[in-house]
Amino acid sequence: MKSNVKKEINVTELLNRLNPVTYNYNQISEMNLPSENQHGFISQEFATVFPELTRDITKPVFNRDGKIISDYTFKGINYNGLISVLAAGFKELNAEVVTLKQELADYKANDAVRKALNLDTNNNKGFFMEQNVPNPFSDQTSIRFQLANGNNQASIIVMDLNGKLIKEYSIDKNSGEIKISASEIGKGLFLYSLISYGNEIITKKMIIK
């Protein structure tokens, strides 16, 4: 029963041009209009945005004998036709909200990365941890480290951007390197930190493809 079917797109801007109002009908003798408060649009304004949802309606005016003596013309709105437009507008707004939420989550995650990486500018008191090599990697990478004199109890932990612990590698010597396999971590952007006696000393990031 339908042809030339097309998806409703870019309707949010059109809906934003509409001016919802409350109003009361003038009590016109030729028409039996309700007296209660109404919600809707001014037809002439509505027609400038959605002309296809308005039409001129002509009603006959009868005398007491039931004879047509004149007619009355007004512009009507197809409110049922507006329902699909409102649904399309809701979907567009919802898609924007989802995008904004993702951008906000990414910003917070990147902000956490920036704050963590700023630890590298602090006084590390004899501790040292290199950037993993290679980076990015898809198979295996290595991280060289050195602990402060007299310290031989530490670990290197790998976390996701939300701070969830993925893997911990214990260190029982003053210097050396550890090997990390991609199969142990997964794919994506991760943080890794040198931890000593519960204190975060140095944090860097690595990418696994």
Side-chain angles (χ1 to χ4, degrees):
M1 295 175 64
K2 296 179 176 68
S3 62
N4 197 29
V5 176
K6 299 178 181 179
K7 183 179 179 180
E8 291 272 16
I9 57 173
N10 300 324
V11 300
T12 306
E13 181 181 351
L14 294 175
L15 290 172
N16 195 48
R17 290 168 54 190
L18 295 179
N19 183 33
V21 295
T22 62
Y23 59 92
N24 291 100
Y25 284 114
N26 294 326
Q27 295 306 303
I28 302 172
S29 59
E30 294 89 345
M31 302 182 67
N32 184 22
L33 298 173
S35 59
E36 296 83 4
N37 194 40
Q38 304 295 311
H39 299 265
F41 305 93
I42 302 301
S43 302
Q44 289 75 12
E45 294 179 357
F46 189 92
T48 63
V49 183
F50 293 108
E52 68 277 13
L53 293 180
T54 62
R55 66 187 180 96
D56 292 330
I57 301 173
T58 300
K59 295 284 188 179
V61 178
F62 300 90
N63 63 12
R64 293 182 178 179
D65 298 327
K67 294 182 179 180
I68 297 176
I69 57 175
S70 64
D71 56 45
Y72 188 84
T73 300
F74 61 95
K75 189 175 291 294
I77 296 176
N78 179 8
Y79 282 99
N80 286 337
L82 185 60
I83 294 175
S84 63
V85 182
L86 293 173
F90 173 81
K91 292 183 67 175
E92 289 179 5
L93 288 174
N94 186 62
E96 290 182 11
V97 169
V98 171
T99 299
L100 288 172
K101 284 184 176 179
Q102 184 59 53
E103 289 177 353
L104 179 59
D106 292 343
Y107 175 82
K108 289 181 177 179
N110 290 334
D111 190 53
V113 171
R114 287 191 294 270
K115 289 179 180 178
L117 295 178
N118 282 340
L119 289 172
D120 287 346
T121 63
N122 297 333
N123 182 7
N124 296 324
K125 301 177 181 179
F127 290 91
F128 174 78
M129 182 176 67
E130 285 188 350
Q131 180 67 51
N132 63 298
V133 179
N135 185 48
F137 69 99
S138 57
D139 183 21
Q140 190 177 72
T141 191
S142 61
I143 301 172
R144 294 180 58 196
F145 64 88
Q146 180 175 316
L147 306 183
N149 290 334
N151 189 316
N152 59 2
Q153 291 187 357
S155 63
I156 293 177
I157 64 172
V158 179
M159 304 167 290
D160 64 17
L161 295 182
N162 293 319
K164 179 182 177 182
L165 177 64
I166 304 299
K167 185 76 174 179
E168 181 173 6
Y169 300 87
S170 296
I171 296 173
D172 57 3
K173 53 186 178 180
N174 185 260
S175 63
E177 68 177 20
I178 65 168
K179 301 286 187 180
I180 295 180
S181 297
S183 59
E184 299 176 328
I185 308 299
K187 294 183 179 181
L189 176 63
F190 298 90
L191 302 176
Y192 63 97
S193 299
L194 177 62
I195 305 295
S196 179
Y197 295 104
N199 295 316
E200 184 178 3
I201 309 299
I202 305 172
T203 296
K204 296 180 181 293
K205 62 180 179 181
M206 64 183 178
I207 300 173
I208 304 177
K209 299 186 295 182

